[in-house]
Amino acid sequence: MDHLAPPSSEPLTTPLHQEHEALGASFTDFGGWLMPVRYTSDLAEHHAVRRAAGLFDISHMGEILVDGDEAPAFLDRALAGAISAIPVGRARYTMILAEDGGIIDDLIVYRLADHEFLVIANAGNTRAVTRALTDRVAGFDAIVEDQSEDHALLALQGPAAEWILSETPGISELSPALPEIRNYGWGSASFEGEPLLLARTGYTGEDGFELLVPVGQAAALWRALLAAGEAHGLVPAGLAARDTLRLEAGMPLYGHELSRDVVPAQAGLGRVIPAGKTGFVGEHEPRPGAPVLVGLAAEGRRAGRAGYGVYRGDERVGEITSGALSPTLGHPIALALVDPDAADAPDLAIDIRGTRLPASVTALPFYRRNS
């Protein structure tokens, strides 16, 4: 996700905006969209996802269809990953890069059929991704179509997610069965007679599903999931909980850890480019001395926030990109871009409004679910 707003002066709203208002949500402008930041409390919603389940509206995300006989070869050229190697029924995390290797966006690509792919882009980056794909498709027998206005996207996340889906009325014709959909796999179904795609993906570090449904069915599916999940502890959850959940899971956020000024290896994501892959847009030389992403853990209750400096002694060696007091772990955590020679330093500190808070580099993710 990112903070690049569309040209409109007024923020956009999702098809579920009235549902959020009815639930008493507080809203914030995010990536040019008016999105629910919380319904009750950030902590309650965060803990619900870790212990039971939370339901998120992520309809601000973009859905871009790529289809055609040469779609696999085109996406291998246009994106960083080995897209043609994705089996039908599976998905892959990848990136679309600028010519110099900077990150235009991080994406999830689903292979729907031999020559048909669904690209999920981050909110304010959808136009940039569509434009880049459209520019790069020249010479390939493939089409690029932004279908974002046709779909709503919901995320059901937490250990009870599969139970809740199995008990949700209106969902039928599921193939394969829910237990057979593995992580980064997807299945097809119908909801009240309309097509429904269920993907075992998410942005919280928990088990869960993301559900793609036609706009006209979004409100009915939202209500059906909340009703089915009430007995399991399901709550609607907003962006505040989503942010602390993804931070605990060590997942990068566009506009914070990822940007046009960062190449994948700096963010610890060099793996998105397969070993030996050449000839793709954004192929680049290493950047010696460029800042690298690390996880930082500290004691106490005061957390470093985005933009706060990271120091080794009196030398500023980096900057926090995301930080919070971890609701699950009970101590401050942060992601930071730091000088490479400070990435293993044992004696770093975060400057919090003039006070230096000792911090140690720690392996990511900060939190990992048991199963």
Side-chain angles (χ1 to χ4, degrees):
M1 294 174 215
D2 69 299
H3 303 287
L4 303 175
S8 171
S9 59
E10 293 294 325
L12 303 170
T13 58
T14 77
L16 294 168
H17 186 73
Q18 290 184 338
E19 300 296 318
H20 306 319
E21 287 185 321
L23 290 167
S26 300
F27 293 90
T28 189
D29 189 332
F30 183 82
W33 292 78
L34 192 61
M35 298 296 295
V37 66
R38 69 183 59 82
Y39 299 85
T40 55
S41 82
D42 305 349
L43 284 175
E45 292 165 23
H46 180 108
H47 289 311
V49 175
R50 290 278 181 254
R51 298 166 183 169
L55 183 62
F56 300 85
D57 177 13
I58 54 171
S59 301
H60 58 315
M61 306 288 278
E63 293 84 36
I64 304 163
L65 184 71
V66 178
D67 194 8
D69 287 346
E70 294 183 335
F74 159 58
L75 289 173
D76 280 347
R77 164 73 177 161
L79 304 182
I83 308 304
S84 61
I86 303 172
V88 175
R90 301 289 295 162
R92 182 164 297 172
Y93 177 80
T94 188
M95 294 180 177
I96 184 166
L97 306 178
E99 293 283 351
D100 65 355
I103 301 167
I104 296 174
D105 200 13
D106 59 333
L107 312 165
I108 296 181
V109 178
Y110 299 86
R111 192 165 197 165
L112 305 181
D114 285 346
H115 302 106
E116 185 178 8
F117 298 81
L118 180 66
V119 177
I120 304 295
N122 288 308
N125 281 342
T126 301
R127 281 185 171 86
V129 173
T130 303
R131 183 168 56 249
L133 289 174
T134 301
D135 290 345
R136 297 173 189 185
V137 78
F140 289 93
D141 180 12
I143 60 99
V144 174
E145 183 181 354
D146 182 358
Q147 297 186 340
S148 304
E149 294 185 359
D150 300 332
H151 299 101
L153 192 59
L154 283 62
L156 177 65
Q157 300 285 297
E162 185 177 307
W163 298 337
I164 292 167
L165 269 182
S166 69
E167 296 172 8
T168 301
I171 296 178
S172 60
E173 302 177 69
L174 180 60
S175 177
L178 286 176
E180 297 173 15
I181 302 175
R182 296 177 291 130
N183 192 38
Y184 273 79
W186 62 269
S188 62
S190 66
F191 176 71
E192 296 185 346
E194 295 293 331
L196 172 65
L197 185 146
L198 304 95
R200 203 155 207 154
T201 50
Y203 195 54
T204 63
E206 294 296 337
D207 187 22
F209 294 84
E210 294 178 325
L211 297 89
L212 186 72
V213 67
V215 164
Q217 306 304 119
L221 179 58
W222 174 268
R223 292 176 200 149
L225 289 167
L226 286 178
E230 185 175 4
H232 295 285
L234 174 66
V235 302
L239 288 180
R242 186 168 161 85
D243 193 49
T244 50
L245 290 159
R246 70 91 192 169
L247 177 57
E248 290 182 344
M251 295 178 171
L253 175 64
Y254 196 91
H256 286 245
E257 289 71 44
L258 309 178
S259 72
R260 295 286 185 106
D261 297 324
V262 173
V263 301
Q266 287 178 255
L269 295 169
R271 65 182 182 276
V272 302
I273 303 174
K277 181 177 180 180
T278 60
F280 62 97
V281 179
E283 186 178 355
H284 57 278
E285 297 296 326
R287 296 182 178 180
V292 295
L293 192 70
V294 299
L296 297 175
E299 299 298 326
R301 308 293 291 177
R302 300 183 69 190
R305 304 293 180 179
Y308 287 14
V310 178
Y311 287 79
R312 182 173 53 188
D314 293 329
E315 179 188 9
R316 181 172 171 131
V317 295
E319 184 175 289
I320 300 296
T321 54
S322 298
L325 177 63
S326 166
T328 304
L329 305 175
H331 61 77
I333 58 173
L335 295 172
L337 283 167
V338 303
D339 296 343
D341 61 1
D344 296 319
D347 54 351
L348 298 180
I350 302 168
D351 187 280
I352 302 179
R353 299 179 180 177
T355 300
R356 299 288 171 86
L357 176 70
S360 57
V361 175
T362 185
L364 295 173
F366 301 103
Y367 162 87
R368 191 187 303 273
R369 71 178 187 263
N370 293 329
S371 58

